[in-house]
Amino acid sequence: MDNTTYWIWWVLGIIHILPLFIGSNHLIHSITPQSPIQCNQTICTLQNSYGTWNDRKNCYALNVTYPTTEEQLRLAVSYVVQNNLTAKIVTKFSHTIPKLSCPQQNNNHAYFISTEKYDTEIQIDATNLTVTVDSGVKLRQLIDEVEKNGFSLVAAPYWEGVTIGGVISTGSHGSSWWGKGGAFHDHVFGISIIVPGSKSEGYAKVLRLESHDPLFNAAKVSLGVLGAISKVKLSLEHRFKRSIAFNFTDDNDIENVYIEHAKKYEFADITWYPSRHTAVYRYDVRVPLDAAGDGVYDFIGFQANEILVSQSVRAAEKLLENTGNTEGKCLTASATLGYKKLTANGLKNNGLIFTGYPVIGYQGKMQTSGSCLYSTRIDTSCAWDPRIKGLSFYESTAIFPASKFGDFINDVKKLRDINPQNFCGIDNYNGILIRYIKASEAYLGQSEDSVVIDFNYYRANDQFTPRLNQDVWEELEQIAFFKYGAKPHWAKNRNLAISNVQHKYPKFNLFIEAKNQMDTQNVFSGDWSDEILYGKELVKFDGCALEGQCICSEDRHCSPQKGYYCSHGLVYKEARVCRSSSTFVYPDSL
Ligand SMILES: Cc1cc2nc3c(=O)[nH]c(=O)nc-3n(C[C@H](O)[C@H](O)[C@H](O)COP(=O)(O)OP(=O)(O)OC[C@H]3O[C@@H](n4cnc5c(N)ncnc54)[C@H](O)[C@@H]3O)c2cc1C
């Protein structure tokens, strides 16, 4: 590399990690997230939090209503049923990536029912250690309320920009194999759900489901297709503290130690940066309430960034993509990882800065974060806020039976070892996050102890622009979903991940039976949720494999005009991926 090139990539590297510095060293405030629903005189449009659905098409409904009580929610469902309309429940956040909240688009008869203003009741039952909440209550609101009263929620997603209704509908989770495990829905004791009713029932009725009810295990993870959830009753524990330390080390042993790691630490996870040959083990345990420390985990990726910085990072990433510069990506991946190590990824001993391990703090401040959501400074935001044209990325999430996960890691290592630099594109984000979920009774939960991976990677501004090393991400997905039969997270992923999903859940039929019983008129059905429930051949068109809308079988499904051809996998030969003829060099061994 000559001197000028070196400095260009150095500057790009610094731009890339700037938000991390800024986010952690200053008290930064952001623009409040906008409502996901925008209406004009004739139509309402729903966006997800990234502003772009998987198919890049809009999602419409005729109108939206904002109930504030359970009875108003029931009346909203009643109106929809009485008038032969369809409906989807939408939330204040709309943080699900695929179109799960989108009603059927072809009949012009759909309504949105929003829980944005249905968020006032949080009733704590201190004797029975439960809390009952309106479904529109925000996760942070709930955490703060229970902590204030001396209790904690044990499991929750890492991201707090979600509502309780949204979290349980999608099987969202944190990480744990202890107790009832890391999935939020496994800590649910009761669900009130409003389903269509007969005329004499006022066209809508409230079902109050508890664990003895046969419909309860369907309602625990309902994908929003069974009815409108009005109340959720959750288990509580007495308030506790946690002690967290991150061990940044080599990745030699992940496949041998991942089970022990989860058994040893209640809130264990592992973040794997394959291109850097680095694994970060999270040593995370409960400590007594009187242990010294008032720390927070303000995860770096969820801190507010200056808008200009987010835009510069996006511009830098686009430049690296468009010039096919893997080396530049690796430079930024390296700088990012170095900075994460320095700042403990957002752990702060005193709420402001990181001074050393372990960081001890209350459960309510250690499990879940999202500080980018709450502040008010107009020149900052969450990095992916669609209004600022900042980061745009995909997230693939695959859930494995624990016993198969070691083999998956070995396959990924083989793929990585062909050319480790090809993995820098995910290490620029958060590498591969490895978390744990325990076996669940929920029909659409995990039937056995499982391991979940998430990885994020660049998404272009238009659907026909291929991505650097996209063959690697595609092979990774296909190894997970097809070779090892991993299941998708219901709230994430690109279309190919739901192929054949009906056959991956042993109790899928019971869920369909429950749907037929509860939503007799398919009021809560939608195009995407129907694809999940009943399956659909992936439709093939020119360029369809570039964004995971299909798996390529011909070159035209990739982008031959831009030098991307349909090719076989390198480790998993059965995989079919779009590979660049110009950036890929076949190793001698292949
Ligand atoms: C930055 C980010 C980080 C994330 N981190 C995690 C994580 O750590 N762990 C994890 O598991 N997931 C994570 N997710 C995914 C997230 O937890 C889910 O997408 C969650 O469902 C979002 O909640 P929401 O309130 O925005 O729901 P929405 O996206 O608005 O809705 C999700 C589904 O629930 C249905 N629904 C919502 N409320 C009701 C109701 N009252 N009655 C019936 N149906 C209802 C909707 O119709 C829709 O089908 C993350 C997502 C993002 C964007």
Side-chain angles (χ1 to χ4, degrees), residues 31-38 47 92-93 116 385-387:
I31 47 175
T32 335
Q34 69 177 354
S35 168
I37 296 183
Q38 303 294 325
Q47 280 195 331
K92 177 186 169 60
F93 289 116
E116 186 166 342
D385 188 317
R387 287 167 297 178

Side-chain angles (χ1 to χ4, degrees), residues 468-573:
L468 190 56
N469 298 316
Q470 80 161 57
D471 57 320
V472 175
W473 319 136
E474 288 185 82
E475 187 164 347
L476 206 61
E477 276 178 323
Q478 292 180 42
I479 293 174
F481 293 120
F482 305 143
K483 182 170 179 188
Y484 292 105
K487 295 171 215 148
H489 189 306
W490 299 117
K492 301 179 184 176
N493 288 307
R494 312 180 321 149
N495 292 28
L496 81 142
I498 62 158
S499 302
N500 217 18
V501 73
Q502 308 78 19
H503 304 290
K504 293 182 176 177
Y505 283 86
K507 295 188 176 156
F508 207 87
N509 286 347
L510 293 178
F511 186 81
I512 300 286
E513 276 173 30
K515 159 90 173 153
N516 294 340
Q517 198 179 328
M518 294 167 82
D519 182 20
T520 42
Q521 299 161 43
N522 287 325
V523 168
F524 293 98
S525 293
D527 298 324
W528 176 253
S529 53
D530 275 359
E531 285 188 34
I532 293 176
L533 296 186
Y534 309 110
K536 188 181 159 197
E537 279 283 294
L538 294 171
V539 180
K540 298 209 173 178
F541 53 88
D542 290 1
C544 61
L546 294 174
E547 294 213 321
Q549 305 259 45
C550 74
I551 295 157
C552 70
S553 49
E554 297 172 40
D555 290 338
R556 69 183 183 87
H557 301 143
C558 299
S559 181
Q561 57 281 26
K562 291 182 177 153
Y564 278 71
Y565 298 93
C566 186
S567 196
H568 62 82
L570 301 177
V571 169
Y572 177 46
K573 303 286 178 204

